[in-house]
Amino acid sequence: MVELVVEKVVYEGYGLARSCGQVFLIPFAAPGDLVKVRPVKERKGMVIAHIEKVIKPSNVRRFPPCPYYERCGGCQLQHIDYHAQLEAKVGFVKESLERIGRIHWPHEIPIYYGDEFQYRLRTQLKQKRNGGGVSIGFYQAGSNEICEIESCMILSPALNGVIETLRSMPSVVGGDTAVESIRLISAENGVVAAYPEVGRIRSDNVEIASGGNRYLVGPTDFFQANRYLLSQLLEIVTGRERGIRAVDLYCGVGFFSIALARRFEHVVAVENNAHSVQLGRRNALRNRVSNIKFLAQSVEQWLATLKGERGKIDFVLVNPPRIGLSRQAIEGICDLKPSKLTYVSCNPATLARDLKRLLAKNYEIVSIEAIDLLPQTYHVETVVRLVDIAHRVG
């Protein structure tokens, strides 16, 4: 056993502490805790340790309100006061920029947030037969076993209604004992779409309104999860941009593309998921914008076709998955020489890596903002605006 004082919370939600030259990573620790811990394994030269006793709790530690917390793998930060969670997430971004990107950002990084519970409009439930009944929930932390739940504090009321329905109707669950996934997405009017189709819940699309726009989204399409912050995210990313030609890479169903089409004369939207592209085209029609060209291609494939387009694009928006941008994508974007580039990231580590490469290509950072789209988890969204140094103004 070792007694430690937790210095801070780091990305992935671990509390970090040091003793005798060793670094300890401690799940469910709060910054400022005095804890007695039991080392359980080493990872990359650091010791993973579990709390045996909180000797003196931090002033930002709170009683987690969810009865499944620590057993369910969905949340990592419920034991920390929400404003301390926000402070920690800004720290995740700064630490990644400095450690991975060697980027020393001297300015404040603002973080925007909404209600900390009942925010999720989409999720992926786990289900399996269990004797004569059914287990419904999420994976347990560090396991492929299901943590069975009656409801989830971060899901919208409509999604919690689906859990109640499934628990009361085991006949709609598959016929074997293997774990199955159900992808769900809900709209503000309570309509829910599921994949695969479950009972009376159809595998279809829902309509989500944000920023004066309407979007058809299916349960298998990517869409931002926080129903409270969609309009604010849209404004942060697109509100300051104007010009002739814009490109939206990893565009999904056109969440940002349609807003950009109201600010630019021509927009190209690129997405590898053909179903999302089909919905993007329908969404453009629903929102009466006719100046978007949706393309069902990988970003790398599309960029490879653009030789000779250097300097002809005013603005590029990238919103890649957690793995970030490939080297090929970065090279292709920089070959275009857009005067402005905005990077929307869900992973501070890959963001820092990619920013380091972009800065080496004569881009510079104008602003960094964070938005807490997934409260109670260690995830944080970051929006970074860059300019080509040759086009810098003011």
Side-chain angles (χ1 to χ4, degrees):
M1 298 289 185
V2 184
E3 285 191 14
L4 301 167
V5 175
V6 179
E7 297 178 16
K8 60 182 178 179
V9 175
V10 296
Y11 194 62
E12 296 187 353
Y14 293 104
L16 183 145
R18 304 173 202 269
S19 178
C20 301
Q22 285 188 305
V23 175
F24 291 78
L25 297 177
I26 311 162
F28 309 115
D33 277 347
L34 175 61
V35 292
K36 182 179 289 186
V37 302
R38 172 174 50 86
V40 291
K41 63 180 178 180
E42 286 199 21
R43 192 183 81 172
K44 297 179 181 178
M46 293 176 281
V47 179
I48 307 294
H50 290 173
I51 295 175
E52 291 293 312
K53 182 180 180 181
V54 178
I55 298 169
K56 182 178 180 181
S58 160
N59 60 7
V60 299
R61 175 178 280 279
R62 70 179 182 185
F63 185 79
C66 174
Y68 312 107
Y69 187 61
E70 294 193 25
R71 191 159 54 91
C72 173
C75 296
Q76 301 82 35
L77 301 178
Q78 275 197 31
H79 63 288
I80 298 174
D81 174 80
Y82 186 49
H83 287 283
Q85 290 185 35
L86 297 173
E87 183 178 342
K89 291 187 181 190
V90 171
F92 299 165
V93 176
K94 287 182 176 178
E95 192 274 337
S96 292
L97 291 176
E98 293 177 0
R99 180 176 57 84
I100 300 170
R102 300 292 186 262
I103 298 167
H104 304 287
W105 182 247
H107 310 292
E108 178 186 0
I109 298 177
I111 186 165
Y112 306 95
Y113 59 95
D115 291 353
E116 60 174 313
F117 295 108
Q118 295 191 330
Y119 62 83
R120 283 200 72 111
L121 56 77
R122 63 181 180 88
T123 193
Q124 186 173 162
L125 290 176
K126 304 300 177 183
Q127 64 171 14
K128 71 174 180 179
R129 287 282 184 184
N130 184 10
V134 59
S135 294
I136 301 287
F138 301 104
Y139 281 138
Q140 296 179 24
S143 169
N144 288 328
E145 294 297 316
I146 292 178
C147 172
E148 189 170 356
I149 66 172
E150 294 185 4
S151 65
C152 172
M153 295 188 69
I154 66 174
L155 296 187
S156 71
L159 294 182
N160 274 315
V162 173
I163 296 174
E164 185 177 347
T165 298
L166 294 175
R167 286 175 58 83
S168 66
M169 299 174 60
S171 61
V172 304
V173 177
D176 57 34
T177 57
V179 174
E180 298 178 340
S181 294
I182 308 174
R183 295 178 181 268
L184 302 169
I185 187 162
S186 63
E188 285 297 322
N189 61 4
V191 174
V192 177
Y195 180 83
E197 187 171 317
V198 180
R200 296 188 297 270
I201 305 166
R202 295 177 55 202
S203 176
D204 204 345
N205 307 315
V206 299
E207 182 179 89
I208 296 173
S210 177
N213 303 318
R214 298 178 302 148
Y215 304 92
L216 288 175
V217 190
T220 62
D221 299 293
F222 173 76
F223 200 78
Q224 298 292 350
N226 192 312
R227 62 195 181 109
Y228 299 129
L229 293 172
L230 292 175
S231 295
Q232 190 165 18
L233 176 64
L234 200 63
E235 179 63 23
I236 290 168
V237 173
T238 68
R240 290 171 282 193
E241 308 305 336
R242 300 289 187 279
I244 305 299
R245 299 179 69 189
V247 173
D248 182 7
L249 303 180
Y250 312 93
C251 69
V253 299
F255 178 63
F256 295 122
S257 314
I258 288 167
L260 290 173
R262 305 190 192 281
R263 295 167 170 83
F264 289 82
E265 293 183 19
H266 307 284
V267 176
V268 175
V270 183
E271 168 61 50
N272 200 36
N273 184 314
H275 183 264
S276 295
V277 168
Q278 291 175 4
L279 287 185
R281 291 169 181 153
R282 292 174 64 185
N283 288 333
L285 291 173
R286 294 171 76 84
N287 289 281
R288 295 189 173 92
V289 294
S290 57
N291 57 332
I292 307 177
K293 183 178 182 180
F294 281 94
L295 298 172
Q297 288 180 274
S298 75
V299 165
E300 290 81 2
Q301 287 173 333
W302 181 75
L303 289 169
T305 69
L306 296 183
K307 303 300 182 184
E309 294 293 302
R310 175 178 285 224
K312 296 181 181 179
I313 293 173
D314 300 310
F315 175 72
V316 170
L317 169 63
V318 297
N319 183 20
R322 292 184 56 77
I323 59 174
L325 297 173
S326 66
R327 284 186 177 273
Q328 185 181 353
I330 290 177
E331 291 293 332
I333 292 165
C334 293
D335 282 346
L336 289 179
K337 296 292 289 183
S339 55
K340 293 189 288 184
L341 168 65
T342 292
Y343 193 136
V344 182
S345 169
C346 60
N347 185 339
T350 54
L351 171 67
R353 179 202 67 198
D354 294 345
L355 288 177
K356 183 177 181 180
R357 295 169 182 173
L358 289 166
L359 296 183
K361 297 284 187 179
N362 291 320
Y363 280 87
E364 70 175 8
I365 297 171
V366 174
S367 66
I368 303 176
E369 297 166 285
I371 184 164
D372 189 22
L373 295 182
L374 299 174
Q376 317 312 327
T377 79
Y378 65 80
H379 299 290
V380 58
E381 201 83 358
T382 313
V383 180
V384 182
R385 296 171 63 234
L386 303 101
V387 296
D388 178 4
I389 292 174
H391 291 86
R392 181 177 53 203
V393 292

